[in-house]
Amino acid sequence: MMKKRNILSTTVLFVLFLLLPARVSAQVKFIDLTNPFLRKIPMAVPVFKAMGDSGDEARLVVEIADQVAAMLEFTGYFALLDRGAFLYDPKKGGITAADLKFANWTAVGAELLITGGVQFQDGALNLEMRLFDTVKASLLIGKRYNGRPDDQRTIVKRFCTEVIHLLTKNRGFFNSRIAFISTGNGHKELYVCEFDGTGVQQITQKKSITTTPDWSSDGRHMAFTSFARGAAQIYVHDLASGIETHFRYRGVQISPRWAPGRFELAATLSFAGDQEIYLLTGGGKMIKRLTQSPGIDVEPSWSPNGKRIAFVSKRAGTPQIYVKDLESGQTYRLTYQGRYNTQPSWSPKGDKIAYSSMENGQLDIYVIDIEGNHPIKLTHNQGDNEAPTWSPDGSLIAFSSTREGGSRIFVMTAFGTDQRRLLVLPGKQSHPRWSPNLTP
Amino acid sequence: MRRNIWLAMLLVFIVPAMLLTVSCAKKEMAVEEPVVQAAPEPVVQEPEPVVEEPSEEIGPSEEELREQARAAAEEAARQAALGAFTQQHILFAFDSSALTPAAQQILKIKAELMMANTGINATIEGHCDARGTEAYNIALGERRAEAAKTFLVDLGVDPRRLTTISYGEERLLELGNTEEAHEANRRCQFLID
């Protein structure tokens, strides 16, 4: 699967269609990054234009425009306008700045416009897509991509990444995936899907209890805890080959988390009698002990630079989140509000930690500054909400929620807005874990 | 031989009596109705009446009959005790692995049974209620199982005969989001290997 994707993506040639004047990108200031979701930017993505007259093109002009619209809408930055209101006929209207009547787009409220042209000929898919600022009547991005039909989604992802990069200065999350646990076959098994819940794949077939998955930085390995051999043990699974190893330590082996950029992970082991967090190689060899405190120490979460870990400790009597600097050994307590704070997840920018907090028997998701200030509750009165995980750009948080009955996976913005269900699958889904952006 | 009779008596009469005491103790402590695991009624087999007249016929002697009856009663008591061993769970407070007085009473009975039956080994399973988060609960379940193990070892059970395993919140006994269900789920279960 991975190999096939690699071969395919190399066949995608993408050509800068019109070079951007440097001043244009410097002027773009659509998204207020201090709270980008406060005001969604109205965006229009009309049906693309068929450049030839094949039946495939007639289908693709709708399908690809829908794909672009859905992908960008998923970010939470945009309000996609209803095509029914557009003063535009994709069959007659142009797709370039010279042929577009921008007044017709500002009239329907669009501030951004994406047009596209589709040519499908002799098994080759040629796509051109443009992003316009309708108010300034100017082209922001223009790209042409040549590929095969299989590359359609990859091309759409690349264009959408360009759009997000121009507007936010980061690479978004369109090349990321989400691992999760589902009970579809009656057992807790590991699955992965695309960032938007599509392309679901079952990874494990253990017919046991598998839980708390985590991606290595390169996306090649998955670590998780499974009861397949009786007690809770850590497994490392090579996604390309399916080869799997399990760690050999007495006692429990819980909550493995890959160190950023290294084939090493932090995890809780209890072989020495007390539950402590250790640093291990991906093969399970001991490197060193990271915590020194009697009582439960679990759920390490790495800072993006790999120099600190946040973790859960019961050292003060209740489970609370602590941060430890691995070089100096200094540890400070992060959470003081509430009596049950677990599942820390360090944001990709490094400035925040998301976690789960229990109040009156109900779990909700919070985000707190790395200094321990301003805990903000992101979910409210909707069942149990837990296991937060950040998208690689830090803009979204996936989590599990029982708001619809059984546990399901949901996504929201990092500010708690736009909460929606990620995917519909049989059984219960839990423990989402967002991957870094992966090279397709 | 005499020791065995005494042991049988102990198991037949005192064990259920202690179980009863434990149940009562629990009732006093819990405000809401506690979840009591019903122990099976021990099957008590009365020794058959001893035949007074001496008999010349070849058959089991008086001594042998008495011995058989004793063995049967003993075995029945043993089975009842083993049944109680696996069906009597010990319960914990929320987010705690501390042994309550009620739990300690139950563990004392289990310790006695293990010391009287040196041929058996046991597995202690630590479990949590559904409310916490999974990884933390696996750690908490292990501490519960280890607390029970330590208590049994302190009472004289050979640690090599005890295995612990934590299932966290993965194997709930009672589903539902009631306080009763949560209480029943915060437990150690005991299995005979």
Side-chain angles (χ1 to χ4, degrees):
Chain A
M1 181 65 193
M2 297 291 263
K3 197 162 188 186
K4 195 173 151 221
R5 286 166 60 97
N6 281 335
I7 293 166
L8 283 175
S9 64
T10 55
T11 66
V12 183
L13 305 170
F14 73 108
V15 179
L16 201 61
F17 183 62
L18 286 168
L19 281 169
L20 298 173
R23 60 177 176 85
V24 174
S25 57
Q27 281 171 0
V28 174
K29 206 184 165 195
F30 282 93
I31 297 177
D32 172 13
L33 291 172
T34 58
N35 191 344
F37 309 106
L38 207 57
R39 178 188 168 274
K40 289 177 186 290
I41 305 162
M43 173 186 269
V45 185
V47 167
F48 287 0
K49 193 181 179 72
M51 308 304 272
D53 50 15
S54 74
D56 284 318
E57 284 177 17
R59 172 177 59 84
L60 289 170
V61 289
V62 178
E63 190 181 299
I64 298 175
D66 285 348
Q67 237 175 349
V68 169
M71 213 171 269
L72 290 172
E73 188 169 34
F74 192 88
T75 63
Y77 296 136
F78 311 103
L80 270 294
L81 300 176
D82 183 356
R83 283 184 196 142
F86 294 172
L87 311 166
Y88 176 75
D89 179 352
K91 291 202 175 77
K92 292 178 196 155
I95 55 170
T96 60
D99 299 331
L100 284 163
K101 293 190 177 68
F102 288 106
N104 285 352
W105 293 106
T106 52
V108 296
E111 293 175 25
L112 291 173
L113 167 70
I114 289 175
T115 62
V118 180
Q119 190 181 40
F120 187 67
Q121 220 170 25
D122 307 326
L125 178 65
N126 300 318
L127 261 176
E128 52 182 274
M129 289 179 272
R130 293 175 181 80
L131 172 71
F132 295 100
D133 175 342
T134 57
V135 179
K136 290 183 182 146
S138 64
L139 176 74
L140 300 177
I141 299 172
K143 296 272 176 177
R144 176 178 287 161
Y145 302 89
N146 305 315
R148 295 197 304 220
D150 287 352
D151 301 323
Q152 183 181 322
R153 192 172 151 89
T154 307
I155 293 170
V156 169
K157 281 185 186 177
R158 288 201 181 168
F159 178 73
C160 289
T161 301
E162 296 287 341
V163 172
I164 292 302
H165 187 236
L166 180 78
L167 300 176
T168 70
K169 303 287 174 279
N170 72 54
R171 308 297 305 178
F173 51 74
F174 300 130
N175 291 310
S176 66
R177 305 174 85 190
I178 296 174
F180 60 97
I181 303 300
S182 179
T183 61
N185 70 350
H187 299 278
K188 287 191 170 180
E189 303 280 7
L190 173 63
Y191 289 70
V192 297
C193 64
E194 294 270 294
F195 71 90
D196 58 357
T198 60
V200 173
Q201 254 184 294
Q202 185 175 342
I203 303 298
T204 61
Q205 300 273 2
K206 295 190 174 301
K207 299 195 168 26
S208 176
I209 301 159
T210 295
T211 187
T212 60
D214 190 38
W215 299 86
S216 62
S217 298
D218 59 7
R220 288 172 56 193
H221 294 94
M222 196 73 80
F224 52 83
T225 295
S226 178
F227 288 80
R229 289 166 175 268
Q233 285 182 313
I234 292 170
Y235 288 71
V236 170
H237 182 107
D238 182 323
L239 285 169
S241 68
I243 292 171
E244 206 168 83
T245 53
H246 68 275
F247 291 3
R248 293 158 203 275
Y249 292 94
R250 285 194 313 111
V252 293
Q253 306 174 11
I254 339 176
S255 57
R257 282 291 179 95
W258 292 99
R262 315 203 295 265
F263 189 62
E264 291 173 5
L265 37 81
T268 293
L269 305 174
S270 67
F271 68 92
D274 197 38
Q275 295 151 341
E276 299 286 358
I277 297 168
Y278 295 84
L279 181 65
L280 303 156
T281 68
K285 286 210 181 76
M286 174 65 56
I287 300 172
K288 64 178 173 185
R289 182 167 160 176
L290 299 181
T291 59
Q292 309 273 349
S293 171
I296 297 175
D297 290 306
V298 288
E299 298 187 311
S301 175
W302 292 89
S303 66
N305 65 8
K307 290 182 174 170
R308 293 194 281 176
I309 54 166
F311 62 100
V312 173
S313 179
K314 207 187 177 183
R315 60 191 63 182
T318 58
Q320 298 292 344
I321 297 166
Y322 294 76
V323 171
K324 178 163 190 168
D325 186 303
L326 298 178
E327 279 166 28
S328 70
Q330 279 186 328
T331 303
Y332 66 91
R333 179 170 165 181
L334 187 76
T335 54
Y336 285 91
Q337 185 180 300
R339 297 180 53 78
Y340 196 104
N341 297 310
T342 61
Q343 300 183 324
S345 179
W346 211 307
S347 76
K349 284 175 196 153
D351 58 340
K352 289 188 170 118
I353 287 176
Y355 61 98
S356 307
S357 183
M358 195 195 298
E359 203 182 335
N360 300 323
Q362 207 141 64
L363 288 162
D364 275 301
I365 290 168
Y366 284 70
V367 167
I368 193 168
D369 290 357
I370 200 63
E371 293 83 17
N373 300 319
H374 315 301
I376 296 166
K377 189 174 180 177
L378 299 185
T379 57
H380 304 267
N381 303 322
Q382 290 193 289
D384 280 320
N385 298 278
E386 57 176 301
T389 177
W390 300 79
S391 63
D393 64 346
S395 66
L396 299 182
I397 293 174
F399 59 104
S400 69
S401 176
T402 59
R403 64 187 62 183
E404 292 177 3
S407 179
R408 310 265 186 258
I409 294 175
F410 284 74
V411 173
M412 61 183 166
T413 70
F415 294 81
T417 57
D418 294 298
Q419 300 192 8
R420 58 226 132 112
R421 188 165 165 181
L422 179 70
L423 41 63
V424 177
L425 281 180
K428 293 176 181 176
Q429 289 81 45
S430 61
H431 295 280
R433 192 72 191 133
W434 216 311
S435 82
N437 272 320
L438 309 169
T439 33
Chain B
M1 196 60 76
R2 182 162 289 179
R3 198 173 135 264
N4 282 343
I5 297 169
W6 192 85
L7 182 69
M9 293 275 287
L10 173 88
L11 293 172
V12 172
F13 297 109
I14 300 178
V15 169
M18 287 182 84
L19 296 184
L20 213 62
T21 318
V22 170
S23 308
C24 293
K26 264 172 55 77
K27 277 212 177 76
E28 281 164 24
M29 289 173 52
V31 180
E32 312 206 27
E33 197 167 335
V35 182
V36 179
Q37 304 298 325
E41 285 293 317
V43 183
V44 180
Q45 291 192 2
E46 292 296 330
E48 286 182 28
V50 178
V51 183
E52 289 291 325
E53 286 173 55
S55 171
E56 295 301 313
E57 288 172 43
I58 300 166
S61 69
E62 184 184 320
E63 187 83 339
E64 282 167 337
L65 279 170
R66 214 179 271 160
E67 179 59 26
Q68 277 175 13
R70 239 190 333 257
E74 204 175 291
E75 182 55 26
R78 200 177 99 92
Q79 288 309 323
L82 291 177
F85 184 87
T86 55
Q87 286 172 50
Q88 271 268 305
H89 306 160
I90 60 170
L91 304 181
F92 294 85
F94 176 70
D95 190 28
S96 170
S97 56
L99 298 173
T100 63
Q104 293 183 19
Q105 282 301 318
I106 297 171
L107 286 171
K108 279 176 192 160
I109 299 166
K110 293 188 195 301
E112 280 160 17
L113 180 103
M114 286 204 73
M115 287 189 288
N117 296 271
T118 49
I120 62 167
N121 293 338
T123 297
I124 308 171
E125 296 180 352
H127 298 270
C128 302
D129 68 27
R131 282 182 299 179
T133 50
E134 259 174 81
Y136 181 81
N137 273 343
I138 296 174
L140 180 62
E142 185 184 46
R143 298 193 88 81
R144 286 177 176 164
E146 286 293 328
K149 178 181 174 179
T150 303
F151 193 83
L152 294 177
V153 170
D154 288 347
L155 289 176
V157 180
D158 185 339
R160 286 169 298 187
R161 297 172 59 201
L162 296 167
T163 310
T164 58
I165 186 166
S166 172
Y167 287 105
E169 59 181 275
E170 302 291 347
R171 292 192 178 180
L172 299 176
L173 205 58
E174 301 283 335
L175 299 175
N177 200 22
T178 62
E179 199 48 54
E180 288 76 17
H182 293 321
E183 187 188 18
N185 286 327
R186 294 192 301 264
R187 70 201 190 276
C188 279
Q189 277 186 227
F190 300 79
L191 304 178
I192 291 169
D193 298 344

